[in-house]
């Protein structure tokens, strides 16, 4: 089973995407604390990351 990490600050969007992916039998990791994104990534080792590039506390263009 593939593991997909969702990094999205809009809860409604995150929940819809997570629900849909779960329905299609993907394992989903939702990140809700944006101060520890890299730690969460290393811990969960996802196969794919869906990343919102406009996060409140994390600059994704590093």
């Amino acid at each position: 089973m593939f593991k997909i990490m969702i990094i999205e600050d809009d809860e409604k969007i995150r929940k819809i995407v997570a629900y849909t992916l779960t329905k299609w039998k993907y394992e989903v990791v939702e990140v809700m604390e944006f101060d520890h994104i890299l730690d969460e990534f290393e811990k969960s080792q996802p196969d794919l990351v869906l990343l919102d590039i406009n996060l409140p506390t994390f600059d994704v263009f590093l």
Side-chain angles (χ1 to χ4, degrees), residues 21-55:
L21 291 171
T22 302
K23 190 168 87 171
W24 286 97
K25 308 295 185 211
Y26 290 102
E27 184 179 344
V28 175
V29 176
E30 295 181 59
V31 175
M32 292 173 246
E33 292 191 28
F34 306 112
D35 295 332
H36 306 288
I37 291 174
L38 294 177
D39 295 332
E40 190 67 35
F41 176 82
E42 291 174 359
K43 184 175 112 181
S44 64
Q45 295 291 307
D47 298 297
L48 175 71
V49 176
L50 300 178
L51 175 63
D52 179 357
I53 62 169
N54 213 7
L55 295 171

